[in-house]
Every structure is written in C-alpha cells, then in structure tokens.
Amino acid sequence: MSKKLGFRKALETRLKKSQVAAKKKAISIFTAMSVAHVDDEELTPGEVRNIEKALPRGDIYTGQWCDNLPHGDGKYLWTDGCMYVGEWYKGKMTGKGKFSWPSGATYEGEFKSGFMDGKGTYTGCSGDTYKGSWVMNFKQGEGAHSFSSGDRYEGEWRRGLPDGQGRYQWKNGNHYMGQWRNGLMHGNGTMIWSNGNRYDGSWEDGFPRGNGNFKWPDGSLYVGIWTKDGKDQNGTYYPAGSPSENLDWDPQQVFLEDLKDAKICTGENVSILPSQKMPNWSAMAKRTEGRQRRMVDRKSKNLSYGSDITDVSTAGEGDSKVEDVVVRNPNPENSDIRQSRPQFKKIMKKQGQTISKGHKHYDLMLNLQLGIRHSVGRPGPVVSLDLRPSAFDPKEKVWTKFPPEGSKHTPPHQSCDFRWKDYCPLVFRTLRKLFNVDAADYMLSICGNDALRELSSPGKSGMFFYLTNDDRYMIKTMKKAEVKVLIRMLPAYYNHVRSFQNTLVTKFFGLHCVKLTGTSQKKVRFVIMENLFCTHYAIHRRFDLKGSSHGRTSSKPESEVDPTTTLKDLDLNYIFRLQKLWFQEFCRQVDRDCDFLEQERIMDYSLLIGFHFREVSSPCGSDVPTPTGNQDPLTEDAPRLSQASKDQFPSDRWSSVRLGTNMPARAEKTVRKSDSDSQLVGEPTGVFYDVILFFGIIDILQDYDITKKLEHAYKSMQYDPTSISAVDPKQYSKRFRDFIFKVFVEDT
C-alpha cells in the first residue's frame, strides 16, 4: 500500500512540474510579442494604455490602445516595409502623421480615416515633391508640385491632376499661366517662351484652339482662329515695322515646333495607398471571439488534466497567428450601433427579366439592336465639338428601311419589317465623344450576343425600361411629348454638359424611333442613357428625391423593401456627409444644373441616390448573395476580396471617383419625430456608416405644360400647394435645392 501511495505522489508531482513548465513556456512566448497584455485583463471602456502588439501576417503596432483599437499616438509597421507614425482615432489613421514606403517615398501631413486628406507633403522616390491640399488620396485644391525633371506646377488641382487656374514652369524657361482641365491646358491662358514669343487665347486639350494671338518680342502680332489640324485656321498678321513687310511664318509652326517640348509631367504613381493598408480590426475581433468561445467550450467539458497541458503547450509553440488573441472584447460603440443597422435580403441575380425568344418585346429588342448597329457602325464625318446650329434642327432626322430580306444598306434579319429613325444623329454622335463613350464598346453593350433585360414594372408614365447585360446603359421608351422636349432643349443641353464635365443631369447617348410597317403602323420612341448604378458594388439602398411630400412614400410594406426597391422622400432616413471640397463642388453643380433646368422650363425632376455600405463587399453581378434580412450587414461573414486581390488593382477603387460616381462619404442615420409631412429630413442620431455614393438628376424631360398647370390647380384645391410635385419650374427649383442641401451636408 505504501508503495502505491508513493508512486501516486510521484506521478502527481511530475504532472504538476510539467504543467508549470508548459505555462511558463507559453507566457514567455506571448511576453516576447506584447509589452502590455490587453487580453490578460479586462479593460474598462475608454481606458487608454500603451502597448506593443504583434498582429497577423507579422505586422507590429506600438502605441496607445483603447477599446481594442489603436487610439492616440502610435506606430504601425507592415511586413512589406510600409510604416505609419502618427495619430489614430478608433483604429484609423486620423490626424497628423507620416507614412513611408519601402521605396523611400514619404507622405507627411493630415490623414482622415486612413486617407491622405488635408494639408500634406508627398516626396517621391524619384525626387518629385508635392505640397498642398489632399482629398481622399487625391491632390485636390491648392498645391505646388516640383517634378524630378525640373518642371514645376503651382495652382489648383482636382482628382490628382491640374484643374482650374494654375502656372506651369518648364525647365527650359517656358511657362504657361491660365486655365487647366484634366491635367491639360484648357480654357483661356497665356504661353510665354524663353525666347520672348507669346500666345494669348483659347486652349483645348493642351493646344491652342479658337481665338488667339501670337506676339513676337519685336511687337509683331498674328491674330486669328487656331486649330491643330489647320483646316479652319485663318488670321491676320500685323508687322511691327513697315506694313509691306512679308510674313514668312506658318501658324502651324506653333503646333509642330514651339509646343513640341511643352509636355506636361504626370509625376510618379503611388503603388499602394495608405488607405489600402488599413487593418481589418473588426475581422480580427470576430476571429478572437470565435477562439474564446471554443476555449470556453473546452473548459465546460471538464477536459482531463493532461489534455489541458497539451493544449497550452500547443498554443504556445505552434500557433504563430496572434490574430486570435489580439482583441478580447467587442467595441462597445459598434455593439450599440449594431441594433439599428439596416437589414438586407438576398440578391441572387441581376435586376430585371431577360428578353428571350417568346417575350412580347423580343422583336422590338431585335429591331433596336439592328438599328443601333446600323446607326453607330456606319461611317460618318470627323466629329468636332463645335457643332453648327443646323445639327440641332428638329427636321434633322434619318429614316432607314429594314426589310427582313435585307437591302443595300441593311442586313437580312429574322424580325418583322420595320423602319428606323435617328434624331439629330450628329449631335448624339458628338455627345458620345464628349462623354468618352467608345463606339465599339457602345455597340457591344447594346447589340452583342447578350440580350437586354426588362425591368419588372414600368414607371407611373407607363414607359418601359431596359438594361444592357453589362448594366452600362439604360433604354427608356418615350412619349412623343418627351421627344419634343428633348429636341427643343438639345442645344442648351449640349452647351451645358460641354461646359460642366461634372454635371449631374442625365447623360443621353441616342434618340431613336422604331416604326412597324403594315396595318399597325405602331411607333416606339426611345432614348439611350447612362445607368447611374453601373458598378461592381452592390447597391444596398436607393432613393428618388424631389423635395415634395404628397404621395412621396413607397407603396411597399417594410417587410418587402429590398435593395432593388426605390424609396422616396418620406422614406428617407439618412443624411449624407461629404468632405469639404466635394461638398462645395456638389453645391456649385446642383445650382448650375437647377439653373439650366429652370431656364428650360423643366420641372418634376429628381435626385436618384444609391449607396453601398462599405463593410459589405459582395460585388454586384456575382452569384454571391448579399446579407439576408436577419443578419447584420456590417459584421457578418460576407464575401470579401482577399488582400492579394486588392493589391492587384490598388488604384481601381478610387481612380474612377468623380462627383456623383463612386464617392466615399458618411451616411448618418436620422429619425423623424412624427409622421408629419412637414418634416422631410429627420433628426440626426449620431449613428454613422461609411458608404460609397452614386447619384444624379433624372427625369429632366417634363416641361411645365398645360397638363401640369391643370394638375397644379386641381391638387392645390385638395392639398398644400407646397407639398405637390407639379409646381412652377422656378418654385420647383428652389424647393428642390433647399431640400437637397439638407440631405447633403459638409462632413465636419
């Protein structure tokens, strides 16, 4: 018996020693990684501590830590050599800091949510230096760029390119002072060469275009109209000395020789942006919670003593992914927001019904595709942006017959006999060029092998909508009155969209008519326009806003509202916060567009808004469903792009950002105090979401005709005249602006 007791005590002593050794080994490993263990003890909300922490993939963070996130001053070092030193706010680089790349390039200045945003200086590895304003990683606002070539630009920037007023100084002493657009000399400006020659006048895409004069140092002067190809160029030479002096000088020399070396430097590209290096703290927290739950389950199962020792030892020696122990408690702020986050149903396929054989509009689709292929594919004159008034003449129409057996100009087809009409073809061909629409891509989108999709139900007007398979273009059938309005306002529309490249009004690409022959003689008129929501992002919410309240609510019950539902003014429960410079540009452009529509006597238009919650990243058009109605869209395991995939196209996400398209913003949840129609915009709640915005002004073909005047008179007797849509264009414009400027505000 005594031998058995002695053996048992020896075994227990040996087991205890092995347990202590295993625990010491695990602790020594974790101690080497972390100065302060935020996981060793529960931190009170709001408590700030200094830590050093090893993170997934070998990244290291050193600095202040609060509520399981970097908060305060800190340094983050990535394994690829990138490093950020500066201020943090709730896990995001926000405030003043310095970001350095392995190449030796650096940015020092202000950050906002991980983006270079505010005042800052970028010094490239090749010697380029930019000092000035930034917005969402773009040079935007006032700034000066000194290029490694010796050139220098100082002036206004927009989306990373010179845009506005600016001065460019070349290394050879030439310099240009004037207007810029998209990185090129465009507008009124002055070019002065180092030899004293000088050009004052209009520019277009980097070259003199329009009225201008060329002056020599001796006082000689050439005044005329300039074109790069020289076809329409003409002018008068004024000599400085004797009037009989001969001019042995060709104005084309300016294009061929004088401007040969006037190339604009673009500067070096940033391969990886700081915002793309932001860690996914919420994903880390989620994995941590999962591991902690598993550990609790193990303890609850009363595992054997020996198994417990083995588990601790394995965790210390084999688990190099410290991501599972980085964050212990969920962010209290996030858990509060979670209760009020919007819910979504699954989107398993693209919106609309594919028009296949047997569909009632199948022949119409074939007619449309045949007509577009003929209109766009046939050779035409060289497109110039300067159109003659005759191009806008309402009588400028081209009819083409499409017999089934084919003709000299049309191919045989399987549809019925029809006639095709193009309205003002030269104008719309020029508009497509103005909007950078490639003719081949345009035809492929509409006339390719893929069928069009018909939206499930027409709008109030009874007109039908069709989408191309790639979602780039929307085709809408039109009433004769709408066609007349578009033709009437076409000259003003063309001048407006040419003058303001960031206009929010609908982009039109073609106006056509299909006339069936035979007894029916039916005419179908339609317009082809831009689809605002052509994006790889899933659109989670969409609103159609007019600024009126009567009848401006969705007819669907809350349970049936999904991401394809277009909600209205009284359904709106967000306000959108734009960065300062974007907000200023937004206000300017809305004013310009509303002034244009008011002058054309247009009313009943609306601002169509769609937005994507950035935490949900299932690409639109994939077969992967978005979060269901019972899940949290901002925290569930939604499909996400891997970091490797993101690195393959680092600039794609932001390169296409422009006003109304692909715009990062913050959406703040609002709540109405009552169901009163007088309160169109609810009270802010302080609950924010990072979103990607898409918006534009649509339905711009309703003029204030006798029908709308009668509608206004009739409804005014029943309802508050200020609450109905049918009002005078001037009143409509004012009400629309007042409302929209409450929905969109500056992000402070």
Side-chain angles (χ1 to χ4, degrees), residues 150-153 167-176:
D151 296 355
R152 178 180 173 84
Y153 171 81
R167 183 179 189 275
Y168 195 100
Q169 176 85 38
W170 281 269
K171 182 181 179 181
N172 60 14
N174 300 343
H175 63 274
Y176 168 86

Side-chain angles (χ1 to χ4, degrees), residues 675-703:
D675 294 331
S676 170
D677 287 355
S678 60
Q679 190 186 22
L680 285 178
V681 180
E683 299 294 329
T685 62
V687 178
F688 295 90
Y689 309 103
D690 289 331
V691 297
I692 305 293
L693 284 178
F694 300 84
F695 54 83
I697 297 175
I698 64 169
D699 296 336
I700 63 170
L701 299 179
Q702 178 60 62
D703 62 350

Side-chain angles (χ1 to χ4, degrees), residues 8 15 50 124 137 187 190 193 252 272 275 387 390 397 414 416 420 484 486 555 581 599 651 656 686 733 747:
R8 185 173 179 179
L15 285 172
N50 289 309
N137 293 331
T190 299
W193 284 265
Q252 284 297 301
I272 303 229
S275 55
L387 294 176
S390 58
K397 307 169 187 175
Q414 299 178 349
C416 57
W420 172 267
K484 287 184 176 180
L486 180 53
S555 57
L581 292 176
Q599 290 166 9
S651 61
S656 58
S733 172
D747 191 356

Side-chain angles (χ1 to χ4, degrees), residues 460 548-554 568 570 677 723:
K460 276 186 178 181
S548 58
S549 57
H550 177 65
R552 298 297 295 162
T553 184
S554 172
K568 299 181 182 179
L570 294 177
D677 287 355
S723 70

Side-chain angles (χ1 to χ4, degrees), residues 212-223:
N213 59 73
F214 192 92
K215 189 175 183 179
W216 287 264
D218 64 0
S220 302
L221 183 68
Y222 174 89
V223 179

Side-chain angles (χ1 to χ4, degrees), residues 130-151:
Y130 170 82
K131 184 176 183 179
S133 295
W134 298 75
V135 174
M136 305 295 286
N137 293 331
F138 285 112
K139 303 169 206 166
Q140 182 147 322
E142 293 287 336
H145 194 133
S146 297
F147 298 93
S148 57
S149 63
D151 296 355

Side-chain angles (χ1 to χ4, degrees), residues 193 208 214 226 249-259:
W193 284 265
F214 192 92
W226 297 70
W249 177 77
D250 181 3
Q252 284 297 301
Q253 181 180 331
V254 174
F255 298 94
L256 299 175
E257 297 295 332
D258 296 351
L259 292 174

